[in-house]
Amino acid sequence: MYVNKYHNRKPIILEPGLSIMALNVNRFIDDAIAEIKRDVSGRAIIGLSGGVDSSVCAMLAHRALGDRLVPVYVDSGLMRQFESERIEQLFQDIGLVRVNAHERFLEALKGVTDPEAKRKIVGETFIRVFEEEARKIGGDCLIQGTIYPDRIESEGGIKSHHNVGGLPERMEFKCLVEPLRDLYKDEVREVARALGLPQEISERMPYPGPGLSVRIVGEVTKEKLDVIRKANAIVEEEVMKFCPWQAFAALLGKATGVKGDNRVYGWVVAVRSVTSRDAMTADVMEISWDVLRRISSRITGEIPSVTRVVYDLTPKPPGTIEFE
Ligand code: XMP
């Protein structure tokens, strides 16, 4: 059984044999701010992706450090449609710095097909960009929004989450501060609401740090990224109204199809939509046939190079939520 010091109210049953106590949000916020003040003596960088974890972490760190905090958004080219612009808008008040690193990530991922290698490369590339930004401001501390399940999955050898097992062995940073390390996702959302973050952030669907790179099976290329970014946007548009835990598209490979009178050897896109409580396990979401048919015809109609769309029927376990 996992218990941490903030869990001092009614128990929540996560799965048979595993329960936690509900979070005392205000005490958590006070303690996290105190911890950041104690651990950071100079200036610090926070990696802000716009997801609920890093946004909560950035708000706590901003309260603790004010101008001594520089939030950095690395535009990796692996993000969803229009996401970078939106994040820039939302966090301009706390001095967000946006770094364009599209080419750098593509170059680093070139020819790499192994999923764990991809995660490690993404994790390392993020850190190298953060180090460069830290040097510019004379900071030696990195703050990250790592949460409890990221650690469990990395330490349990399931996946090296880019911000835990995917971190490089050597980093220039003298300190790494992770104030959310003991929280589950739904607890992070509670903290987000208490901090007054907009609903668009507090209720945001989880999105993996390595982004679209773990939604492309095999090598990541610019062409594949463009295809999957569009397909992903269609899936989100059609499925978000049913409140899934996560809903997205992944690129599997190529297969033969017919478009007009022509044979086309095009991309196979998988649609995945799951329900979950904490991402440790997940169930396939039941979606009506009409919606599935509309998704399929929109993806093949709006993206000429896609010939086939499939719906993933695998729960976790034995599948994982992401494909890589
Ligand atoms: P899996 O695929 O392991 O995913 O079932 C569980 C949850 O974690 C997210 N995920 C990641 N998040 N870095 C992250 O920040 C990662 O490397 C990573 N891999 C998976 C995934 O989207 C799901 O919510």
Side-chain angles (χ1 to χ4, degrees):
M1 178 166 129
Y2 162 68
V3 178
N4 84 32
K5 63 181 176 165
Y6 300 107
H7 300 147
N8 62 359
R9 292 187 301 183
K10 64 180 185 337
I12 301 171
I13 308 302
L14 295 172
E15 57 190 64
L18 180 64
S19 70
I20 60 169
M21 308 298 279
L23 182 73
N24 181 334
V25 177
N26 291 330
R27 189 169 136 208
F28 172 80
I29 291 174
D30 291 345
D31 285 2
I33 292 172
E35 178 192 339
I36 299 168
K37 280 187 177 157
R38 187 193 63 222
D39 291 351
V40 181
S41 53
R43 307 191 81 192
I45 293 273
I46 178 159
L48 177 53
S49 69
V52 62
D53 307 342
S54 66
S55 301
V56 162
C57 207
M59 296 320 285
L60 293 170
H62 183 70
R63 286 196 186 178
L65 304 175
D67 291 349
R68 287 196 286 131
L69 177 78
V70 177
V72 177
Y73 172 72
V74 180
D75 188 355
S76 59
L78 308 172
M79 304 303 279
R80 289 173 284 191
Q81 217 161 37
F82 311 126
E83 190 158 37
S84 302
E85 293 68 24
R86 185 69 191 129
I87 289 164
E88 201 168 24
Q89 257 176 7
L90 282 170
F91 293 99
Q92 61 189 5
D93 288 354
I94 61 165
L96 186 74
V97 172
R98 174 174 167 183
V99 181
N100 185 330
H102 290 203
E103 290 307 319
R104 190 166 172 168
F105 276 84
L106 260 186
E107 193 52 40
L109 287 165
K110 202 169 178 175
V112 182
T113 53
D114 176 68
E116 281 292 276
K118 279 160 68 174
R119 281 158 187 282
K120 289 192 169 147
I121 287 170
V122 171
E124 165 147 23
T125 309
F126 270 118
I127 292 294
R128 300 301 167 228
V129 176
F130 293 145
E131 284 173 345
E132 287 166 20
E133 294 305 310
R135 259 180 256 139
K136 287 184 200 161
I137 61 150
D140 58 8
C141 208
L142 178 67
I143 303 177
Q144 286 208 127
T146 312
I147 64 170
Y148 187 65
D150 297 346
R151 292 165 45 208
I152 298 279
E153 298 233 338
S154 289
E155 285 159 17
I158 298 168
K159 281 186 189 181
S160 302
H161 279 225
H162 77 293
N163 50 351
V164 188
L167 288 181
E169 265 174 42
R170 283 169 192 275
M171 293 199 279
E172 282 177 21
F173 291 103
K174 292 212 178 70
C175 70
L176 179 66
V177 183
E178 298 182 317
L180 310 184
R181 62 187 173 277
D182 289 328
L183 301 195
Y184 281 93
K185 185 70 95 185
D186 53 354
E187 297 174 316
V188 181
R189 293 195 198 284
E190 274 188 61
V191 179
R193 290 177 208 121
L195 289 170
L197 279 160
Q199 245 194 353
E200 141 180 32
I201 297 285
S202 65
E203 311 314 313
R204 191 159 232 233
M205 182 166 69
Y207 185 70
L212 299 176
S213 76
V214 289
R215 294 180 178 176
I216 291 172
V217 175
E219 186 185 3
V220 176
T221 64
K222 171 124 185 14
E223 185 203 347
K224 291 183 194 172
L225 282 170
D226 290 343
V227 168
I228 208 59
R229 191 176 288 111
K230 279 192 203 140
N232 196 73
I234 293 171
V235 173
E236 286 192 12
E237 268 172 47
E238 297 293 341
V239 181
M240 287 316 288
K241 49 183 169 279
F242 305 115
C243 302
W245 168 271
Q246 275 173 278
F248 59 88
L251 197 79
L252 301 187
K254 283 201 151 183
T256 302
V258 190
K259 286 203 166 180
D261 292 332
N262 299 321
R263 172 190 187 276
V264 181
Y265 193 51
W267 298 111
V268 182
V269 166
V271 175
R272 184 138 175 81
S273 178
V274 294
T275 56
S276 178
R277 194 195 145 80
D278 54 16
M280 306 290 281
T281 60
D283 281 321
V284 180
M285 188 160 169
E286 281 190 35
I287 296 184
S288 78
W289 191 241
D290 278 354
V291 175
L292 286 173
R293 242 198 323 233
R294 188 164 56 245
I295 292 173
S296 168
S297 75
R298 278 195 64 191
I299 292 177
T300 50
E302 294 173 32
I303 314 172
S305 59
V306 176
T307 46
R308 216 167 270 248
V309 176
V310 298
Y311 189 51
D312 187 343
L313 295 174
T314 329
K316 173 184 179 174
T320 54
I321 294 178
E322 305 292 343
F323 276 68
E324 291 259 88

